[in-house]
């Protein structure tokens, strides 16, 4: 991982250039705080001028979030205040975000990528197939099992990513990252400090570089041309929106501005509700408590009576808050580890959608942080950080 590292990040102080970082995430995973801490790191401990800010919409958990950080030598002023378009380091907080072509916008052969993989799945020696077509032209790719570490240390994904970023940057020390954590979070959330520091430590230790596929491998797997590192030329997948021929009758999109096509699954942090249909009494409490209407009911018979019967869950829109698990009176819904249920038996996409989209927007709300539903990880005073 250390070999052949000679690059812009080793001499940007001398050349007077900016070293630029872009964080790609969704609301609730802590990218905004991570960007803020990286900005403070440059000034307090790295002897650099730095600037950082985040970009997001309605300040709602689940909306797309981007963080931007710029470093330069103290002899140079930072006069650029626009988003980072061509990052030297791209940090992706959830593996599902790689399905969005825009995440890789502006990246090229000088870009290094850090990817938080879901659950505990780490590739043995190669880049995961679903992202290999994107990063064959990038300088290097690193992977870290951020979700797994965060769950085990009772910290957050952003803390794990701080440790991983320190390892890849090289000019930022692990101890400096821990100091920033203590400065920013130690006083406000003292009970969470131990877990956060452990998350940073393990992120630093467990990140590793993964081998890029040989030239031509990605093309064969994808049945087409691999990513070129020039996202301006990337075409959006078909089915992203209604057009003249595909719009509903009357040419009106009845769900304009809604999240009906949003895939909330990237927000889940390891847990899902598992439906045991044999126990269900069709009381509807799960449907009434669910903030995203994931339960699909249809006319049927239950105990000899015609009624609306629970058919299952729309896991595209389930954000993992587990409120349904808490409210179910007969334990027909139980908490399960998502990595243990790759094929969800009762997955039923929303039946009321006008048109089932060919492509889901990879962004969603973060129920794990915003609800009281998870059982073993109880809130600390003041909330988790």
């Amino acid at each position: 991982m250390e070999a052949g590292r000679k690059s812009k990040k080793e001499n940007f102080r001398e050349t007077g250039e900016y070293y630029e970082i872009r964080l790609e995430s969704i609301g609730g995973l802590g990218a905004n705080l991570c960007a803020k801490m990286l900005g403070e790191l440059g000034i307090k401990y790295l002897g650099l001028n730095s600037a950082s800010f985040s970009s997001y919409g309605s300040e709602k958990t689940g909306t797309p979030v981007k963080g931007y950080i710029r470093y330069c030598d103290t002899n140079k002023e930072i006069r650029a205040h626009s988003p980072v378009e061509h990052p030297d380091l791209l940090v992706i907080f959830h593996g599902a975000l790689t399905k969005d072509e825009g995440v890789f916008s502006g990246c090229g052969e000088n870009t290094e990528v850090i990817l938080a993989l879901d659950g505990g799945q780490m590739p043995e020696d190669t880049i995961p197939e679903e992202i290999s077509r994107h990063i064959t032209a990038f300088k290097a790719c690193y992977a870290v099992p951020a979700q797994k570490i965060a769950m085990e240390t009772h910290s957050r994904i952003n803390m794990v990513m701080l440790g991983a970023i320190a390892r890849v940057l090289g000019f930022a020390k692990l101890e400096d990252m821990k100091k920033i954590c203590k400065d920013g979070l130690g006083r406000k959330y003292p009970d969470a400090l131990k877990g956060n520091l452990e998350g940073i430590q393990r992120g630093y230790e467990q990140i590793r570089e993964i081998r890029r596929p040989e030239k031509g491998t990605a093309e064969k797997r994808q049945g087409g041309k691999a990513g070129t590192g020039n996202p301006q030329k990337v075409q959006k997948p078909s089915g992203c929106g209604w057009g003249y021929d595909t719009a509903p009758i009357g040419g009106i999109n009845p769900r304009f501005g809604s999240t009906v096509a949003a895939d909330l699954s990237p927000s889940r942090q390891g847990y899902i509700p598992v439906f045991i249909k044999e126990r269900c009494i069709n009381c509807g409490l799960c449907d009434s408590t669910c903030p995203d209407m994931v339960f699909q009911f249809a006319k049927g018979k239950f105990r000899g009576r015609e009624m609306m019967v629970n058919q299952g869950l729309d896991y595209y829109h389930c954000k993992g808050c587990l409120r349904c698990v808490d409210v179910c009176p007969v334990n027909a819904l139980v908490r399960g580890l998502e990595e243990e249920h790759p094929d969800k038996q009762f997955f039923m996409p929303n039946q009321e959608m006008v048109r089932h989209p060919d492509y889901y927007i990879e962004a969603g709300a973060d129920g794990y942080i915003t609800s009281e539903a998870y059982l073993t990880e109880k809130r600390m005073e003041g909330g988790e950080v």
Side-chain angles (χ1 to χ4, degrees):
M1 185 169 172
E2 305 298 333
R5 181 73 63 83
K6 186 68 175 176
S7 65
K8 175 182 176 181
K9 66 186 174 188
E10 292 184 327
N11 58 19
F12 70 93
R13 300 172 191 254
E14 290 76 18
T15 60
E17 296 180 283
Y18 295 131
Y19 183 83
E20 299 179 311
I21 304 172
R22 188 170 78 219
L23 312 181
E24 294 279 355
S25 183
I26 57 175
L29 299 184
N32 183 29
L33 177 60
C34 185
K36 179 178 179 292
M37 295 173 73
L38 287 171
E40 294 177 355
L41 175 76
I43 295 173
K44 287 185 175 181
Y45 299 110
L46 302 183
L48 297 170
N49 282 342
S50 69
S52 68
F53 66 97
S54 297
S55 173
Y56 44 86
S58 59
E59 295 190 63
K60 175 184 176 183
T61 53
T63 55
V65 173
K66 298 178 187 290
Y68 307 109
I69 304 95
R70 285 186 175 92
Y71 293 139
C72 70
D73 189 72
T74 52
N75 294 324
K76 178 183 176 67
E77 293 184 11
I78 297 180
R79 294 184 175 273
H81 304 289
S82 58
V84 173
E85 296 183 356
H86 304 284
D88 299 296
L89 177 62
L90 176 69
V91 184
I92 304 173
F93 277 56
H94 198 292
L97 294 173
T98 59
K99 297 177 185 177
D100 183 356
E101 303 281 353
V103 165
F104 298 96
S105 175
C107 299
E109 60 183 10
N110 295 318
T111 303
E112 294 179 294
V113 178
I114 300 177
L115 173 64
L117 293 185
D118 301 338
Q121 301 300 316
M122 286 284 286
E124 290 301 320
D125 61 351
T126 60
I127 292 171
E129 183 174 343
E130 65 270 18
I131 65 168
S132 62
R133 66 190 179 97
H134 291 290
I135 59 180
T136 51
F138 296 167
K139 181 177 181 181
C141 180
Y142 306 88
V144 59
Q147 185 182 97
K148 179 174 183 292
I149 294 173
M151 291 171 66
E152 292 175 351
T153 59
H154 301 279
S155 61
R156 292 280 301 283
I157 286 178
N158 57 349
M159 296 295 106
V160 180
M161 300 309 283
L162 278 174
I165 291 169
R167 182 75 178 274
V168 173
L169 285 180
F171 57 81
K173 297 178 181 178
L174 174 62
E175 290 306 314
D176 292 337
M177 286 295 189
K178 291 184 176 181
K179 288 177 184 177
I180 282 293
C181 179
K182 292 176 183 177
D183 292 346
L185 304 176
R187 292 182 181 179
K188 191 173 183 180
Y189 305 109
D191 293 337
L193 181 59
K194 181 180 178 181
N196 286 333
L197 293 178
E198 185 180 352
I200 293 174
Q201 179 75 37
R202 290 185 56 183
Y204 184 88
E205 293 174 348
Q206 295 187 28
I207 186 175
R208 62 185 178 83
E209 186 171 357
I210 46 182
R211 180 173 59 84
R212 293 186 294 177
E214 295 179 4
K215 189 174 182 180
T217 303
E219 291 93 327
K220 291 178 182 178
R221 281 203 296 240
Q222 299 297 328
K225 189 175 180 181
T228 62
N230 185 7
Q232 285 80 359
K233 297 181 180 179
V234 174
Q235 299 296 319
K236 286 187 175 182
S238 61
C240 284
W242 279 299
Y244 180 80
D245 294 326
T246 58
I249 295 175
I252 298 173
N253 180 353
R255 292 189 171 90
F256 178 79
S258 75
T259 58
V260 70
D263 182 355
L264 305 192
S265 61
S267 69
R268 298 199 292 261
Q269 297 195 12
Y271 300 106
I272 59 168
V274 177
F275 182 42
I276 305 173
K277 192 169 185 177
E278 295 76 19
R279 298 179 183 175
C280 182
I281 59 174
N282 300 297
C283 63
L285 286 175
C286 55
D287 188 48
S288 62
T289 196
C290 177
D292 295 292
M293 302 177 69
V294 306
F295 292 93
Q296 305 301 305
F297 282 77
K299 290 182 179 180
K301 286 189 176 182
F302 177 67
R303 295 177 181 174
R305 295 173 52 195
E306 288 191 0
M307 60 187 301
M308 298 299 287
V309 178
N310 194 348
Q311 305 296 310
L313 293 78
D314 181 356
Y315 281 105
Y316 279 127
H317 293 99
C318 175
K319 61 189 179 186
C321 71
L322 302 182
R323 294 174 186 173
C324 57
V325 173
D326 277 357
V327 78
C328 182
V330 292
N331 291 325
L333 289 156
V334 296
R335 185 179 73 159
L337 288 174
E338 184 162 11
E339 64 182 23
E340 295 178 356
H341 299 276
D343 299 316
K344 302 171 180 61
Q345 185 178 358
F346 295 103
F347 169 51
M348 179 171 289
N350 193 327
Q351 304 171 82
E352 297 182 356
M353 295 183 69
V354 173
R355 181 174 67 98
H356 188 75
D358 300 321
Y359 175 80
Y360 277 88
I361 300 169
E362 298 294 333
D366 181 16
Y368 176 84
I369 300 303
T370 58
S371 81
E372 299 291 340
Y374 56 95
L375 305 180
T376 58
E377 293 77 26
K378 295 182 178 178
R379 276 191 182 276
M380 299 174 181
E381 184 64 24
E384 285 199 331
V385 294

